[in-house]
Structures are given as structure tokens and as C-alpha cells.
Amino acid sequence: MSFLSLCEIIFRCALFALAVYHVFKREFQLMKSVILVFALSFLPELLNAVFKIRIDIFSILVYFTILFMALYLGSSYRFYDKYKWWDRTIHFLSGVGFVGFGIAFAGTGSGIIKLVILLFGFTFSVTLHVIWEVLEYISDCITHGNAQRWQKIHTSNNHVSEKALQPAGLVDTMNDAICCISGAGLSILVWWFFI
């Protein structure tokens, strides 16, 4: 059994244990997040099975961390509102982890030079992040949510300082983009030495 397989089993067993716990406690609202994280944990395996895209172990583990932090702790337990650094940490980690996805999509086995592979990994990661922000916006518009903190009245001020010149949503989006770009940039520097 590979290290990755063991990590996947442990991650999914932990999610199953959380699901059982929430059923026992009759916290059915929290079950949605657990089920979504569980389903999305199969994405790397699906990409490999269908498209023969093999994502590295590190990127998959970062992906699992992002799923759990964003969908379970962030949304279900409102960690986005409790901790100022939560959202930016997730966006930084997405910058780091999605570079590996981009590199896997580019295919390191082909004759593509290292710089082109790294540039593709960087742009792929940033593009996924921008799509993420657009989906947050669409979700806010459809569900009348506040993922981008654009509403004038909100109990959370974790994304904007009192001296901010721009509305909270703009500040949040810009900080998220900067964190993602920083994570992706750091990740391609690390990848440069390991590809």
C-alpha cells in the first residue's frame, strides 16, 4: 500500500467518523459539508482513471487540507468569520496545491521544457483561483450569501480594516488573489528544484 493510499483511507475514515458523529448528534446540516468533502476527495483518482492525469502526493494532500478547511471548518463551523487569517490561508494553500495539478495537466513526461511547465502550473493555479472567486460571487447572488463580504451589514469584519478605502468585498478578493499568487509563486520555486 502506498503512502498516498494510506492517507486517502485515513482521510475518508475520518470523514466517515465525522458523519456518524453528526448523525448521532442530529446535526444534519453539517452532513452536507462532510458529504461534499468526501465526494470531492475522489477527484484526483477520477482524473487519473479517466484522463491518465497523475497528480503528485504533496498536491493531493494539500488539496485534501483545502477541502476540509474550506468546506467543513470554514463553512460549517464559520471559521471564516472566527479567524481573520482563515480565508487567506486557504487561498495561499490553493496557490501551492493547484500548481501540482497544473503540472500534472501539462504532463511532465512530454518534451515540454521546464520553464513552460512551471509557467503553465502557475497560470493554471491562478486561473482556478479566479474561477473560485467567480463561483463565490455567483453563489452570493443566487443564495443571497456573503462569501465575498460585499454586503454592507455583516457581523464579520475579518477581511477589512477600519481604515480601508475600498469596500470589504474588493479588499477580500484582492487579498485572496494575492495569497493565491504568492502560494503559486512559492510553489513553482520549490518545484523548480524537484522536477
Side-chain angles (χ1 to χ4, degrees):
M1 177 180 294
S2 71
F3 177 72
L4 178 60
S5 297
L6 181 62
C7 289
E8 288 172 339
I9 290 169
I10 291 170
F11 184 71
R12 291 178 185 136
C13 285
L15 290 172
F16 181 76
L18 280 172
V20 169
Y21 172 79
H22 290 310
V23 167
F24 179 74
K25 290 287 211 171
R26 297 189 175 277
E27 298 170 332
F28 299 112
Q29 194 67 11
L30 297 175
M31 286 294 296
K32 288 188 244 177
S33 296
V34 174
I35 291 168
L36 185 58
V37 171
F38 185 81
L40 289 173
S41 75
F42 288 95
L43 179 63
E45 291 173 285
L46 182 66
L47 290 173
N48 186 25
V50 175
F51 301 107
K52 304 298 183 229
I53 297 170
R54 295 188 51 84
I55 300 163
D56 65 285
I57 294 171
F58 176 75
S59 296
I60 291 173
L61 294 178
V62 171
Y63 172 70
F64 285 171
T65 303
I66 293 165
L67 285 178
F68 191 75
M69 286 178 69
L71 299 177
Y72 183 70
L73 296 176
S75 296
S76 296
Y77 284 101
R78 306 183 56 88
F79 276 30
Y80 286 112
D81 296 329
K82 292 179 183 177
Y83 305 106
K84 289 182 178 185
W85 49 267
W86 195 259
D87 189 45
R88 292 193 184 100
T89 300
I90 291 170
H91 285 285
F92 179 81
L93 287 174
S94 71
V96 170
F98 290 147
V99 165
F101 278 64
I103 290 169
F105 278 103
T108 57
S110 67
I112 301 172
I113 61 173
K114 186 190 285 192
L115 185 59
V116 173
I117 292 170
L118 293 175
L119 182 61
F120 179 82
F122 179 84
T123 57
F124 184 83
S125 176
V126 173
T127 300
L128 285 180
H129 178 266
V130 170
I131 291 169
W132 179 340
E133 289 298 319
V134 169
L135 292 174
E136 278 186 353
Y137 175 74
I138 292 169
S139 172
D140 281 352
C141 290
I142 292 172
T143 66
H144 303 288
N146 202 22
Q148 290 196 312
R149 307 298 188 250
W150 59 271
Q151 295 183 26
K152 291 181 181 180
I153 300 171
H154 191 268
T155 57
S156 169
N157 63 356
N158 63 346
H159 295 295
V160 63
S161 72
E162 294 174 10
K163 297 178 182 179
L165 300 175
Q166 300 293 334
L170 177 60
V171 173
D172 176 61
T173 300
M174 293 288 75
N175 284 327
D176 291 348
I178 290 166
C179 287
C180 174
I181 291 167
S182 299
L186 178 64
S187 186
I188 64 166
L189 287 176
V190 172
W191 271 92
W192 178 263
F193 297 103
F194 293 105
I195 286 183

